[in-house]
């Protein structure tokens, strides 16, 4: 495990930052204001295989290991000021595409992964239900076994990418008696198997469209089952481990960008002929943010290393997610305080990021859930 980037990793990071800055940022203010998802930008990202960073090349991906993937995602977070687009890519890759790679059949992988990696298709993860909340395995969506497959009924809520999704990775109860311990299964479902709601208006991440998914006597062939029946709990738990680390990498990249931007601001902003960076009330805030951003990077690097080496990584992933998401919320607030009115009155990078950061302690398991998971390891 090393904390110094190799030449190859530096090249990867520079490539994705340059691409993001040149191709993804124009018009972000209008897209955010109007809650617009731009499918052309999604396809541009697919041309670079951002939606398939750690998927083998034989399935249309870029073939990176997890450690290189988090470097790439950090670069995306740094270069792309459209935080919603970055989040949509993360949700698609980490909670949908990787699970298909890890648990899908060879037929499923060859059929779906090239389209998911190349930006032709968009995926959504469907597990959350309003009544179950953070206890996602207390779901009421039921897939009854029939002769040639399953009949699925139920509703999933707050699904990122749902209004624009071509495919959903769906979790449903297949054995109510077993419950979470062997009674939940996952399915790959094309759009023809479900209905989606209109987009749900949100406070932040407004270019990452969210919606609900409904299943009404949906007839699912056996070929839609991912892995074995009853394996859904294990699959989802693993996908959340990947998502917690990967999204944290995106957030830490965003924070590094915001820090770099505010440092330029405080060096240029002067009071009584002195740059305000020399005011300790401001300088100490920046010193704290820089230190905590570096600490977040190390937590992410450790979790990625454990994942690549097939070591237990769930606790490390929870610690990275807890630390980085809380930092994301708090640091954006402190940075806005430094900008003052100039950051508050515009649809600026910091104003959008402040709104976007608020949900980071909720999705992929709330901070309270992460603390429970960490506590179990003690």
């Amino acid at each position: 495990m090393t904390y110094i980037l190799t030449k190859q990793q530096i090249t990867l990071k520079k490539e994705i930052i340059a691409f993001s800055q040149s191709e993804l940022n124009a018009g972000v203010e209008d897209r955010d204001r109007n809650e617009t998802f731009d499918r052309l930008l999604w396809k541009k990202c697919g041309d670079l295989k951002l939606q398939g960073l750690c998927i083998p090349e034989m399935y249309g991906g870029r073939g990176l290991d997890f450690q290189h993937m988090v470097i790439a995602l950090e670069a995306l977070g740094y270069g792309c000021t459209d935080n919603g687009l970055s989040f949509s890519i993360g949700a698609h890759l980490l909670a949908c595409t990787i699970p298909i790679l890890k648990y899908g059949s060879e037929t499923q992988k060859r059929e779906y992964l090239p389209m998911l990696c190349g930006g032709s298709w968009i995926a959504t993860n469907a597990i959350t239900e309003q009544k179950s909340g953070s206890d996602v395995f207390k779901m009421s969506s039921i897939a009854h076994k029939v002769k040639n497959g399953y009949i699925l009924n139920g509703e999933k809520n707050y699904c990122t990418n749902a209004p624009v999704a071509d495919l959903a990775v769906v979790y449903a109860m297949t054995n109510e008696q077993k419950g979470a311990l062997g009674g939940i299964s996952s399915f790959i479902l094309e759009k023809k198997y479900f209905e989606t709601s209109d987009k749900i208006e949100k406070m932040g991440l407004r270019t990452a469209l969210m919606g609900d998914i409904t299943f009404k006597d949906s007839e699912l062939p056996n070929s839609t089952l991912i892995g074995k029946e009853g394996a859904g709990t294990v699959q989802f738990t693993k996908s959340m481990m990947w998502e917690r680390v990967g999204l944290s990498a995106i957030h830490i990249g965003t924070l590094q960008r915001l820090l770099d931007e505010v440092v330029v601001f405080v060096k240029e902003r002067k009071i009584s002929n002195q740059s305000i960076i020399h005011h300790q009330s401001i300088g100490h805030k920046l010193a704290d943010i820089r230190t905590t951003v570096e600490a977040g990077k190390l937590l992410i690097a450790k979790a990625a290393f454990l994942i690549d080496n097939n070591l237990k990584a769930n606790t490390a992933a929870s610690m990275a997610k807890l630390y980085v998401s809380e930092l994301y919320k708090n640091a954006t607030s402190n940075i806005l305080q430094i900008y003052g009115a100039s950051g508050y009155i515009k649809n600026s990078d910091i104003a959008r990021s402040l709104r976007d950061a608020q949900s980071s302690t909720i999705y992929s398991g709330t901070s309270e859930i992460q603390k429970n998971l960490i506590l179990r390891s003690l």
Side-chain angles (χ1 to χ4, degrees):
M1 183 175 178
T2 179
Y3 302 108
I4 306 299
L5 296 186
T6 65
K7 289 182 179 180
Q8 181 187 28
Q9 291 168 336
I10 292 171
T11 299
L12 172 66
K13 189 172 183 178
K14 287 181 177 179
E15 175 196 5
I16 293 177
I17 290 174
F19 164 80
S20 301
Q21 291 175 336
S22 66
E23 301 293 335
L24 304 181
N25 295 340
V28 62
E29 297 87 353
D30 289 337
R31 292 199 302 277
D32 180 84
R33 186 180 299 110
N34 299 320
E35 286 193 296
T36 301
F37 178 90
D38 191 328
R39 194 138 190 163
L40 291 177
L41 293 183
W42 184 268
K43 187 61 176 70
K44 283 186 177 182
C45 294
D47 292 341
L48 202 63
K49 308 299 184 184
L50 293 184
Q51 294 95 322
L53 287 168
C54 65
I55 306 302
E57 293 180 11
M58 65 182 293
Y59 299 122
R62 189 142 179 173
L64 302 180
D65 61 18
F66 212 89
Q67 292 173 91
H68 282 77
M69 186 186 73
V70 296
I71 291 168
L73 290 175
E74 180 187 331
L76 177 65
Y78 185 92
C80 180
T81 58
D82 187 342
N83 301 322
L85 177 59
S86 299
F87 181 76
S88 286
I89 289 173
H92 166 103
L93 168 63
L94 301 160
C96 302
T97 307
I98 299 178
I100 293 172
L101 171 70
K102 296 294 186 180
Y103 301 111
S105 67
E106 188 63 26
T107 298
Q108 290 169 337
K109 287 186 279 192
R110 291 190 179 277
E111 181 174 0
Y112 295 116
L113 288 179
M115 294 185 293
L116 295 173
C117 294
S120 299
W121 276 28
I122 301 169
T124 183
N125 177 279
I127 189 168
T128 301
E129 298 179 6
Q130 283 188 344
K131 291 184 179 180
S132 59
S134 292
D135 192 1
V136 293
F137 298 126
K138 295 291 185 182
M139 63 183 64
S140 58
S141 296
I142 306 293
H144 288 293
K145 190 77 176 77
V146 293
K147 183 177 181 181
N148 296 315
Y150 300 83
I151 303 295
L152 175 59
N153 284 282
E155 183 178 28
K156 299 296 182 178
N157 309 109
Y158 311 125
C159 304
T160 297
N161 296 336
V164 292
D166 304 287
L167 177 148
V169 173
V170 179
Y171 296 84
M173 191 72 69
T174 48
N175 189 322
E176 294 179 79
Q177 292 182 331
K178 291 183 178 180
L181 301 177
I184 294 173
S185 303
S186 66
F187 301 86
I188 301 178
L189 301 183
E190 296 181 22
K191 183 68 175 65
K192 61 186 177 182
Y193 293 112
F194 58 87
E195 298 177 3
T196 57
S197 71
D198 293 334
K199 64 185 178 185
I200 299 170
E201 187 172 359
K202 308 193 304 299
M203 170 183 169
L205 295 173
R206 291 171 62 82
T207 60
L209 303 190
M210 174 188 285
D212 300 330
I213 295 179
T214 305
F215 309 95
K216 298 177 181 178
D217 293 325
S218 298
E219 298 180 7
L220 313 182
N222 286 320
S223 61
T224 62
L225 182 68
I226 302 176
K228 296 180 179 180
E229 182 179 301
T233 297
V234 172
Q235 294 171 5
F236 179 75
T237 301
K238 280 282 191 179
S239 74
M240 283 299 97
M241 178 182 71
W242 301 320
E243 184 171 274
R244 286 162 187 161
V245 180
L247 291 182
S248 294
I250 294 174
H251 298 336
I252 214 71
T254 302
L255 276 173
Q256 184 67 63
R257 180 185 76 242
L258 296 173
L259 176 60
D260 290 349
E261 290 173 348
V262 75
V263 166
V264 172
F265 172 80
V266 296
K267 286 182 177 180
E268 294 178 348
R269 179 83 165 90
K270 293 183 179 181
I271 296 177
S272 300
N273 237 12
Q274 185 184 47
S275 298
I276 62 174
I277 194 172
H278 299 298
H279 294 202
Q280 283 193 347
S281 60
I282 291 174
H284 285 182
K285 277 190 176 74
L286 297 175
D288 284 340
I289 293 170
R290 181 178 181 184
T291 302
T292 50
V293 166
E294 289 300 313
K297 290 179 181 180
L298 295 180
L299 285 170
I300 293 166
K302 178 181 178 181
F305 173 84
L306 293 175
I307 291 170
D308 272 340
N309 288 276
N310 296 314
L311 301 172
K312 292 182 179 179
N314 284 323
T315 301
S318 288
M319 289 191 289
K321 200 274 179 179
L322 172 65
Y323 185 85
V324 172
S325 61
E326 292 289 345
L327 170 62
Y328 191 24
K329 280 180 61 174
N330 295 332
T332 51
S333 180
N334 283 328
I335 292 172
L336 180 63
Q337 188 72 20
I338 293 171
Y339 279 110
S342 65
Y344 186 75
I345 63 175
K346 302 175 183 178
N347 187 8
S348 61
D349 194 2
I350 182 58
R352 291 193 309 276
S353 295
L354 178 68
R355 287 188 281 107
D356 296 339
Q358 301 311 301
S359 59
S360 64
T361 58
I362 299 173
Y363 50 69
S364 306
T366 65
S367 289
E368 291 75 16
I369 292 295
Q370 303 313 313
K371 290 177 182 179
N372 288 343
L373 294 173
I374 296 165
L375 181 61
R376 291 177 191 171
S377 69
L378 298 178

